[in-house]
Amino acid sequence: MTETIGVVIPVYNVEPYLSRCMDSVLKQSYTNLEIILVDDGSTDKCPEICDIYATTDKRVKVYHKTNGGVADARISGIKKLTTKYFTMIDADDFVKTEYIQNLVTIRDNYSCDIAITSAIKIIEGTDIDDVKSDGNLEVIQYDPEAALEDLYYRKNINVYPHGKLYPKIYFEKEQFNIGEIYEDLSIMHRIFSQATKIGVSSHSDYYYVQRPHSIVNSEFNIKKMIQIPICENIVQYVSDNYPRILNSAKSKYFITALNLYVEAVACKAPPASVNEIKKAILKYNEDICRDKKNTLTLRIIGRTVPISLGFLVKAITFLRWMQKKNLISVNKPF
């Protein structure tokens, strides 16, 4: 009998999306699942929808709790798991039929501790057919240091918690920070560091739905400033544990601050916030310019920063506008 794989799904006021997510999970080709739905105090019909799925499929377990945020919901769900391995799915996203099978195949065929596949970003409201994959899982194998370098240079690995198969024990040693947005950014380096080998495939099985009114995708607000201390902590962690790849952490810090600056200026954020972000951009600017592992575009931006941040804001804002209008396709422009 195949091993049971856990699926943790935090749920909060996602009534229009929940059934699509759950239907995609229930029709997985890998059927031996323990599906944990954590209703995080939803005020819409999500609690009832969750309960209906639990009554119609014995693999589904529902836990209702008072609202504590997505990090708290994920922690609660992970604690309820009885499986050794699990994956996370957000309730407004959905997955291809082979999502879990591909993660298990990567783990088993390459003896990996963590298995990763790619995500496809789609705009809210987009209808997608579940196209069956060709089964071609080309896998790159990393040790933790190489995986973090890849992550922070924004190459094959993304920072999102979904699209990954983890040993549950890793989250018994480390937990998401409750009440913090970008909780994935603040934990992923500590999760990867527990592994011996990480297997990554560019095969895309996870549909990551971009909702413009979500906290992360919304316009600038003061909560987003948490990214600066999170990235500073990452730089310190990498400096202490993986000094060879320190420049990659600085690169992540720089691009995070730059994107935050564009949002802050566009929304006319308080001057104190704008100045704080500007200092963050300039902090490692010289390192960015000298580091040939950064893209040429990012190094040019680094050279331009001291001359005219205003020009960069206009250029990046225009680039984003063209992308939203589907006039250009830019996944990772920097």
Side-chain angles (χ1 to χ4, degrees):
M1 185 176 179
T2 56
E3 158 194 13
T4 304
I5 297 295
V7 182
V8 174
I9 306 175
V11 177
Y12 180 70
N13 288 355
V14 286
E15 182 183 340
Y17 314 98
L18 181 55
S19 292
R20 179 178 63 178
C21 174
M22 283 301 297
D23 291 345
S24 74
V25 174
L26 293 178
K27 68 177 183 180
Q28 287 294 296
S29 59
Y30 192 101
T31 59
N32 196 6
L33 305 174
E34 179 183 47
I35 303 163
I36 306 293
L37 286 172
V38 182
D39 166 38
D40 190 35
S42 297
T43 56
D44 58 5
K45 292 184 179 179
C46 281
E48 293 92 331
I49 296 172
C50 289
D51 290 338
I52 290 171
Y53 277 104
T55 59
T56 56
D57 195 308
K58 64 181 181 180
R59 296 176 297 174
V60 180
K61 301 176 183 177
V62 178
Y63 299 94
H64 301 283
K65 60 183 287 297
T66 56
N67 180 255
V70 65
D72 188 43
R74 286 189 181 126
I75 292 170
S76 298
I78 294 168
K79 287 181 178 178
K80 299 292 185 182
L81 285 170
T82 63
T83 63
K84 290 184 178 180
Y85 280 83
F86 76 100
T87 186
M88 289 181 261
I89 299 175
D90 287 346
D92 50 355
D93 298 336
F94 58 106
V95 292
K96 290 184 180 180
T97 304
E98 294 90 4
Y99 170 66
I100 293 175
Q101 180 60 68
N102 284 341
L103 288 172
V104 172
T105 298
I106 293 168
R107 183 199 64 180
D108 293 348
N109 288 2
Y110 294 89
S111 301
C112 300
D113 304 300
I114 298 174
I116 302 174
T117 56
S118 297
I120 307 167
K121 288 186 178 181
I122 64 169
I123 304 300
E124 179 181 7
T126 304
D127 291 323
I128 301 292
D129 292 328
D130 186 6
V131 180
K132 196 167 185 178
S133 67
D134 59 9
N136 183 21
L137 285 174
E138 295 183 2
V139 175
I140 303 174
Q141 300 173 68
Y142 298 84
D143 61 21
E145 181 179 78
L148 289 174
E149 183 177 40
D150 182 289
L151 174 67
Y152 295 138
Y153 278 130
R154 301 163 304 284
K155 294 181 178 179
N156 300 301
I157 305 174
N158 61 59
V159 74
Y160 316 125
H162 53 244
K164 300 173 177 67
L165 184 68
Y166 310 92
K168 178 188 175 183
I169 194 172
Y170 287 7
F171 287 84
E172 293 173 356
K173 298 177 180 178
E174 301 286 352
Q175 291 189 352
F176 293 107
N177 293 332
I178 295 175
E180 180 182 279
I181 62 172
Y182 302 100
E183 72 287 341
D184 43 7
L185 181 61
S186 65
I187 194 177
M188 206 53 63
H189 53 290
R190 293 181 277 126
I191 296 300
F192 281 12
S193 293
Q194 297 180 62
T196 300
K197 188 190 296 185
I198 299 168
V200 181
S201 172
S202 60
H203 189 86
S204 301
D205 297 308
Y206 189 105
Y207 291 111
Y208 181 27
V209 179
Q210 302 297 286
R211 296 168 57 200
H213 301 297
S214 67
I215 293 177
V216 172
N217 290 318
S218 62
E219 294 182 341
F220 178 85
N221 64 67
I222 200 67
K223 290 183 178 180
K224 290 192 173 187
M225 294 292 291
I226 189 65
Q227 294 174 89
I228 294 176
I230 288 175
C231 285
E232 191 61 69
N233 287 338
I234 288 171
V235 170
Q236 187 61 56
Y237 182 91
V238 171
S239 177
D240 292 342
N241 296 278
Y242 306 107
R244 189 189 67 81
I245 64 164
L246 180 57
N247 278 338
S248 68
K250 291 179 178 179
S251 179
K252 178 63 178 175
Y253 183 105
F254 177 82
I255 196 63
T256 298
L258 183 63
N259 285 326
L260 191 58
Y261 186 83
V262 172
E263 293 181 13
V265 171
C267 295
K268 298 181 179 179
S273 296
V274 174
N275 288 334
E276 182 180 347
I277 302 168
K278 186 175 180 179
K279 289 179 182 178
I281 293 173
L282 295 171
K283 186 169 186 176
Y284 299 119
N285 185 62
E286 286 301 317
D287 298 293
I288 300 305
C289 297
R290 290 193 297 264
D291 181 12
K292 293 185 178 180
K293 289 188 176 181
N294 279 312
T295 63
L296 177 60
T297 303
L298 191 61
R299 282 181 279 145
I300 291 172
I301 287 173
R303 292 296 181 194
T304 309
V305 161
I307 302 170
S308 177
L309 266 174
F311 170 77
L312 278 176
V313 168
K314 291 178 181 179
I316 295 170
T317 301
F318 180 66
L319 233 163
R320 289 178 173 179
W321 178 83
M322 292 186 69
Q323 186 175 10
K324 285 182 180 179
K325 296 293 184 181
N326 292 320
L327 298 174
I328 58 171
S329 178
V330 183
N331 185 28
K332 295 177 181 178
F334 307 125

